Amino acid sequence: MVAKLTVWYNTKCPVCNAGINWQTNRLVRAAQVGAIEFRDINIEPDALARFGVRVNDVRRRLHGVDADGRLRVGIDCAVEIWRRTPGDDRLARVVGAPGIRQIAAFGYDRFADLLYLWNRLIDRKSTRLNSSHLGI
């Protein structure tokens, strides 16, 4: 059994939320035995303050804390999730391998940057529409 991992993510991001929901369904057994827990950073904005992590950092990339209190960010967090997902341990080993991990991190970070930008644009557009609708 792999030690517990607590993962914070952004439920306001439709892509992130769908990905975590899909992953959670695959991890029901692991969650039931306490191997992994997914938490919404929007509900616990100061959860990772001891690491100097702000809400927007988590909105940009997954952040997890393992049982030893180590912070896992981005692709490293994804690898830790896969280690705990039945059938994904091989993926975790491949992506976590030296060389491949750096390439995967680059790809993850670029995708995360684009997704974060898209979410910010959607949020601004939504705020403007709501403000104009209310006559503000």
Side-chain angles (χ1 to χ4, degrees):
M1 174 74 166
V2 180
K4 182 176 182 178
L5 178 71
T6 303
V7 177
W8 280 269
Y9 72 104
N10 179 20
T11 58
K12 292 182 180 182
C13 168
V15 175
C16 305
N17 207 30
I20 294 297
N21 284 337
W22 178 79
Q23 192 69 30
T24 301
N25 290 334
R26 297 184 71 222
L27 280 168
V28 170
R29 200 168 106 227
Q32 288 172 340
V33 296
I36 194 162
E37 178 182 7
F38 292 103
R39 298 174 73 166
D40 181 2
I41 195 63
N42 299 298
I43 294 172
E44 300 177 79
D46 297 325
L48 300 172
R50 71 180 187 254
F51 296 103
V53 175
R54 301 171 314 224
V55 171
N56 279 340
D57 297 328
V58 178
R59 288 178 179 159
R60 185 180 295 263
R61 288 175 181 73
L62 286 174
H63 284 65
V65 178
D66 66 20
D68 295 324
R70 288 184 301 242
L71 182 66
R72 308 295 184 144
V73 180
I75 197 65
D76 294 328
C77 186
V79 167
E80 289 301 313
I81 292 169
W82 295 329
R83 285 184 63 218
R84 290 160 177 80
T85 305
D88 284 353
D89 55 331
R90 184 176 301 172
L91 177 62
R93 282 193 304 278
V94 170
V95 174
I100 295 174
R101 189 212 148 292
Q102 287 79 1
I103 294 167
F106 180 82
Y108 176 100
D109 288 344
R110 298 304 69 79
F111 178 74
D113 290 340
L114 290 172
L115 188 57
Y116 179 73
L117 177 62
W118 178 74
N119 280 315
R120 301 264 317 202
L121 292 171
I122 295 297
D123 188 47
R124 285 185 190 144
K125 186 176 183 178
S126 174
T127 301
R128 276 198 315 268
L129 289 174
N130 288 336
S131 297
S132 65
H133 177 70
L134 297 173
I136 298 174

